[in-house]
Amino acid sequence: MYNFTFHRPTTVRQAAGLLARNPEGKLLAGGHSLLPVMKQRLAQPSALVDLSQVEGMTGVELKGRSVVIGAMTRHADVAKSDVLKEVLPGLASVPGSIGDPQVRNRGTIGGSIANNDPNADYPAACLGLGATIITNKRRIAADDFFTGMFSTALEDGEIIVKVSFPIAKKAAYEKFKHPASGFALVGVFVSKRGPDIRVAVTGAGSNGVFRVKSFEEALKKRFSPKSIEGMTIPASGMNSDIHATPEYRAHLVGVLAKRALAKATA
Amino acid sequence: MTANGIGAPVRRKEDFRFITGQGQYTDDVVRPGETRAVFVRSPHAHAKIKKIDVAAAKKMPGVVDVLTGAQLATDKVGNLICGWMIHSKDGSPMKMAPHPALAASTVNHVGDAVAVVIAETTAQGKDAAEKVVVDYEVLPAVVDPAKAQAKGAPQIHADVPNNTIYQWHLGDQKAVEAAFKAAKHVTKLDIVNNRLVPNAMEPRAALADYDAGNDSLTLWNTSQNPHVARLVISAFVGIAPEHKLRVIAPDVGGGFGSKIFIYPEEVVCLWAARKVKRPVKWTSERSEAFLTDAHGRDHITRAELALDSNGKILALRAKTIANLGAYMSTFSSSVPTYLYATLLSGQYDIPQIYCEVDAVYTNTVPVDAYRGAGRPEATFVVERLVEVAARQLGLDPTDLRKRNFIKNFPHQTPVIMAYDAGDYNASLKKAIELADVKNFGKRKRESARHGKLRGIGYSTYIEACGIAPSQAVGSLGAGVGLWESAEVRVNPTGSVEVLTGTHAHGQGHETTFAQLVSERLGIPFESVSIVHGDTDKVQFGMGTYGSRSGAVGMSAIVKALDKIEAKAKKVAGFMMEASENDIEFKDGKFTVKGTDKSVGFGDVALNAYIAHKFTGAELEPGLKETSFYDPTNFTFPAGCHICEVEIDQETGKTEIANWVAVDDFGTVINPMIVEGQVHGGIAQGVGQALLEGAVYDANGQLVTGSLMDYTMPRAHDLPSFHVGLTETKSPSNPLGIKGCGEAGAIAAPAAVINAITDALGTEDIAMPATANAVWQAMQKHPPKAA
């Protein structure tokens, strides 16, 4: 690890100021992706701006017909939120599948979304529910937020403050874990909220999380696994590595979508 | 049996300090003025070193020195060696290329060390290491051992044509050919035994301290065999004479073979400590461990089994290419030869066996012994062949095994080993009962109803442990004897210290060895302490590997205890004014035969030291005895593992639905510890079969270079094991012990793959059988509906 300065602001404004003064700085929001690469000397931020003490950035709240989760809420706390388990169990199941207990007790939703790892779980949930990412500057629809592998619509100095998830009547996440890392080799989030039907896939695409429009179209008739029976997505554009071929990933998208639908409609 | 004696499931003494974080590992040892070593490693698999410029690095803050391979050569530090000579078929000796601790002219694998920075802190060392400028001329690399032998392949070492270290064979080729010609049925298999990365929980570490006043060196390191380390570093590397080098292997957190070997880093730390006149410490990081700890396995094999029309095995033939990596590690030559081909008879009466092995250099991390070492590879060959032959002949796989089991002992196999005892039917029968094989069909149909394929696989394995009779291994090329030593020191107050040449790094010797002494001397288990791992305290010993510590190490203790008893009887005789021949020893009491006169062990110990009851002319004072025990044969643990799997047809994911292990380890000292060893071994074997596998790309980069890509088995990958024992005592050592440390890792891979292939209905699946691999196999060979 290279040397860096460490800052621990208590307000979002302070954090934004620190970030502005440290153009080579990084926000620390749990650090379970950032710190390992720093230890390996693959990242060299000049400063870390730790968000853990910033007020008002944690908690799961019911607000009208949405659930709002503070960006610094740890995975373990989201997983055990009674409110969330009651109104949106499909989302509540996501953080419990992330990493191991250590990761779940340090890692945060904001950190995960801002990093947009192509195998991370939360991006699928955000896109699969049509969430709104609320920053210190604006509100960004999930459909506009995830712009590619490890890249997002966030601008310099922009900090995710909270994420608002509309409560979908039917929603579920199905994940096939990467055998070594525990990330999603493929993960599929499905939801139905009135006419809005979403099928979002993480882990599979070489450009990060994406929606499967063909499945969504087919599910408009009936939101059921049967509606996409026999449907597949093309293997082109799928990730390829020693753990899964593009064909296998494409196949898993279909299998997991059906399983998620079965869970959502059970 | 006493409460804590032989056969009692005593809780492990050492666990208190481990569980409460009070273990003392190499990295925990801190010497005044200690510096840190950071190695500069090659990013290339194969390259010429044109120039190394250390000037900028030397100017970095906190840097004590920067040393290179050229200086190592100037100081005449010797190369690392492989200590087991193998001769090729044509009689020529194996071609061992030089292995300097720091590469000076050529790097031969990614991670090969070219320089070392000695700095005040690791962070400063790393900063400086980045400033070392190495000018490489990148050469073509080869990682596949078959390709390494091909014409035109990159030549890794001078004087090793076709990168071939040896072409060895064992058995009667002509007789085997004749048997195959006469056979009614031949089963053929192409087998890859996947390369594994050991990943002991504690990474390797070394701390070297130079005492200028005495011109002596002390090395703390993560070793399974500190005396062997001292011997090699003295006699071959030439760092210091044996009496000027103390090697201490304190608590060591797992070895699995990977900590047997003498590595460049410990040599460099010793050399550097003398140069900078300060202690030098190096602790491997996990990513460094992936690139430098000796890997395991990595065989490519063509195997064939010849049978007659009744399913009787006539002969076995195997041709193996073994990848030994970039350099020959300390015992690497023995693993694919005498630890492998000699086990190809399995549990079966096979009249003829012939095995050829080519050992090959590649631009990969050196490969050496890893839990089982050769025997898992042999078991996989034999047990896959037998299972597939049964399927091809339409026989039940247990039936084919029973038809061929060895039933009479001793049994001389055609591949050197003489099995001394066993009952293979007994373990198979017990395993079949525990696994409820008779209801397997019902379970298979139930699985099918849920879209799952169910399969059952057997592995009736054998291993040669209790390594080893010195004369026998000497005749096969070993550079050392493989006896073991023990010293039993009885203190004046009657407590006992046992100094053993074995080394514990997870095995629980502090408990099991104390159980033996407690039972034998009739003293409390708590009054016995076990000392190991320090060449200044313990007389020469050979260390721990090959499931040898019970069979060989405890036998040495028994021998020393025999001497203690004999001497104590003499003391008791003087105390009770009786002839030593009239003294009986039982339950910690010395009694004059036929009388009620007796003295306790504690009294005798005290009298041995105060020496008031006998003159110096009559008897030497003291009660301390030493022994060196050389076994008369290997031991032959054997057993039957049955694995049942359920495969998700949609995803290809395999779940282990049930596991039964019935093992014959001879005498069991502590059944709880033995069960733990079996669990750990199975976990590693399942890891190999389902999850683990080192993958190199064509340029020699290790793709699976971290735990994010290399899959270690986790608790959720494994079921609760059903473990049973049968017992035939080993006739080759006084306690009848056979050894249990490697059995699980040896038995498990074949059981898993036999179960998966049973479920899928195709033999076309390699290890690791990941979900991806199983799904691909199902695309190629669609399984029949159950």
Side-chain angles (χ1 to χ4, degrees), chain A residues 72-97:
Chain A
M72 286 300 290
T73 313
R74 292 170 180 171
H75 306 323
D77 294 327
V78 178
K80 65 184 178 213
S81 161
D82 289 331
V83 175
L84 192 62
K85 276 191 257 183
E86 197 189 315
V87 301
L88 201 43
L91 175 60
S93 76
V94 172
S97 77

Side-chain angles (χ1 to χ4, degrees), chain B residues 575-627:
Chain B
M575 287 167 71
M576 295 184 284
E577 294 173 342
S579 155
E580 63 180 281
N581 299 324
D582 292 335
I583 307 285
E584 281 174 339
F585 181 56
K586 211 183 155 213
D587 300 331
K589 261 190 182 163
F590 296 87
T591 309
V592 181
K593 246 183 249 172
T595 75
D596 57 0
K597 271 212 277 192
S598 72
V599 286
F601 182 78
D603 268 351
V604 173
L606 183 66
N607 272 279
Y609 283 95
I610 61 175
H612 293 172
K613 303 282 187 190
F614 49 87
T615 68
E618 287 167 319
L619 188 65
E620 274 182 31
L623 195 53
K624 187 214 85 161
E625 297 290 349
T626 297
S627 80

Side-chain angles (χ1 to χ4, degrees), chain B residues 406-440:
Chain B
I406 293 161
K407 293 176 189 80
N408 301 309
F409 297 89
H411 173 86
Q412 178 63 53
T413 72
V415 278
I416 299 177
M417 292 297 173
Y419 301 168
D420 49 11
D423 186 346
Y424 308 139
N425 254 325
S427 47
L428 176 64
K429 185 163 175 269
K430 189 165 174 179
I432 287 171
E433 282 162 18
L434 280 174
D436 187 25
V437 171
K438 66 174 190 295
N439 287 311
F440 172 73

